[in-house]
Amino acid sequence: MCSKIAWGLTFAFATFAASYVVANDDVSGFNQSMDDKFVMQVGAYFADVESSYREVFGDARDASSIDLEDLGLDDKETLPFVYGRVRFSRRWRLELHGFGTDRDAKESANFDIDLGNARTIPFGAEVKTSFKTNVYAARVGYSFFRSQRAESGAALGLHVTNFEVSIKGNVNIGDQGVSFIRSEEADVTAPLPTIGLYGAYALTEKLMLDGRFAYFTLDYDKYDGQMVDAYVALEHRTFTHVGFGVGASYFDIDLDVDEGITEERYSVRFRGPLFYVKVGI
């Protein structure tokens, strides 16, 4: 489950980061959130989800995508939100981030579902659908500008994205309960390099604006796609080492995977508000 993996990463990251917390590097004292050596954010992401999938066979490039929410998958999810950051110096930082969704549904098809290659799940068939996506990101950033109240920089990173899709249709024929099954299953894990920007501004001694943006476009080996990952939040440093934040996140990825005979095409979009508790040292 994604939540178990996320909490495991949280524990591992905290253990790794502990050795760097004791560093003391140019603390400004205006807003403590600007100078934390170690940050951990844990909360909830209330996401609207849109996802689609299609498998293209041979030269049949006009095959249509299947909107998976049309097959009964929930289009709203409450997901665990986990983010961690370590400062190695005044300007260098490491960020880790992860989230994902695991959905399934079972219902009668209200339209003919074209799986490609002359495979169709007809109207009225019982359809079982599942779709799982996990996204893990690691980024190394360098702050080109840093003052008592503001910071901005650029980051290079790696997003590892996993997709698992299953669509199975079962149709009973006649009074004897004879059935046939049409199914589609796919599983791919793609490492995707990213480049991005980040920034923060201390509005007061307690309030801070924080944001980041990452992007990639890739056409390499069997992978072809693009991704946008954006985040903005307003956080309040309520206690010495604990604060609270509210913000919004947007993640959009389109990925084609060329397997030779077939080409798998995935599209996923998450967007919505988030709330988190922050621990900073």
Side-chain angles (χ1 to χ4, degrees):
M1 295 293 292
C2 175
S3 59
K4 292 182 180 179
I5 296 174
W7 288 112
L9 286 175
T10 301
F11 177 78
F13 181 73
T15 302
F16 167 77
S19 61
Y20 295 94
V21 173
V22 296
N24 184 12
D25 182 32
D26 245 354
V27 176
S28 71
F30 179 75
N31 185 313
Q32 187 176 346
S33 292
M34 296 292 296
D35 299 290
D36 288 326
K37 305 303 182 298
F38 166 63
V39 168
M40 178 62 67
Q41 297 173 355
V42 179
Y45 181 21
F46 305 97
D48 292 331
V49 186
E50 299 176 20
S51 54
S52 65
Y53 168 80
R54 66 171 166 173
E55 185 173 19
V56 179
F57 293 81
D59 296 327
R61 299 305 177 187
D62 58 346
S64 59
S65 294
I66 302 171
D67 291 329
L68 299 176
E69 287 72 34
D70 289 344
L71 304 185
L73 296 185
D74 290 337
D75 60 2
K76 296 184 182 297
E77 289 275 286
T78 300
L79 310 173
F81 173 79
V82 179
Y83 167 84
R85 184 181 72 234
V86 174
R87 288 190 184 275
F88 295 101
S89 70
R90 179 173 169 80
R91 296 188 180 273
W92 288 99
R93 58 201 267 173
L94 170 67
E95 300 177 330
L96 297 178
H97 178 45
F99 67 95
T101 180
D102 187 355
R103 299 172 293 161
D104 57 75
K106 177 181 177 181
E107 65 175 34
S108 296
N110 54 21
F111 60 95
D112 290 345
I113 304 170
D114 182 11
L115 300 179
N117 202 29
R119 298 174 303 155
T120 300
I121 299 175
F123 175 86
E126 180 186 82
V127 182
K128 296 180 181 180
T129 307
S130 66
F131 183 64
K132 181 178 182 180
T133 308
N134 288 319
V135 180
Y136 307 101
R139 294 179 289 266
V140 175
Y142 180 81
S143 297
F144 295 104
F145 174 81
R146 185 174 162 95
S147 68
Q148 287 188 344
R149 299 185 65 161
E151 179 179 19
S152 60
L156 294 175
L158 185 70
H159 278 64
V160 177
T161 304
N162 170 259
F163 299 98
E164 295 181 22
V165 180
S166 176
I167 304 171
K168 297 181 180 180
N170 185 72
V171 180
N172 292 322
I173 303 175
D175 297 331
Q176 302 301 317
V178 178
S179 65
F180 69 89
I181 296 175
R182 296 288 184 266
S183 67
E184 179 61 53
E185 295 186 85
D187 186 349
V188 63
T189 299
L192 308 169
T194 61
I195 185 170
L197 300 172
Y198 61 86
Y201 182 75
L203 300 170
T204 70
E205 293 181 358
K206 295 288 187 180
L207 283 175
M208 185 184 74
L209 275 173
D210 187 27
R212 56 182 178 267
F213 175 86
Y215 175 80
F216 91 86
T217 180
L218 177 72
D219 186 0
Y220 174 74
D221 194 20
K222 63 181 182 180
Y223 301 112
D224 184 7
Q226 63 180 14
M227 184 207 75
V228 174
D229 186 1
Y231 158 93
V232 64
L234 176 66
E235 65 179 52
H236 185 271
R237 191 59 169 252
T238 311
F239 306 105
T240 303
H241 295 296
V242 178
F244 301 89
V246 60
S249 180
Y250 178 87
F251 179 85
D252 190 351
I253 183 170
D254 294 290
L255 181 67
D256 291 0
V257 183
D258 189 349
E259 300 288 0
I261 298 176
T262 64
E263 182 177 300
E264 298 168 0
R265 300 185 177 182
Y266 304 86
S267 178
V268 185
R269 177 185 298 168
F270 298 87
R271 56 185 174 183
L274 55 88
F275 172 82
Y276 61 85
V277 178
K278 172 182 176 179
V279 176
I281 302 175

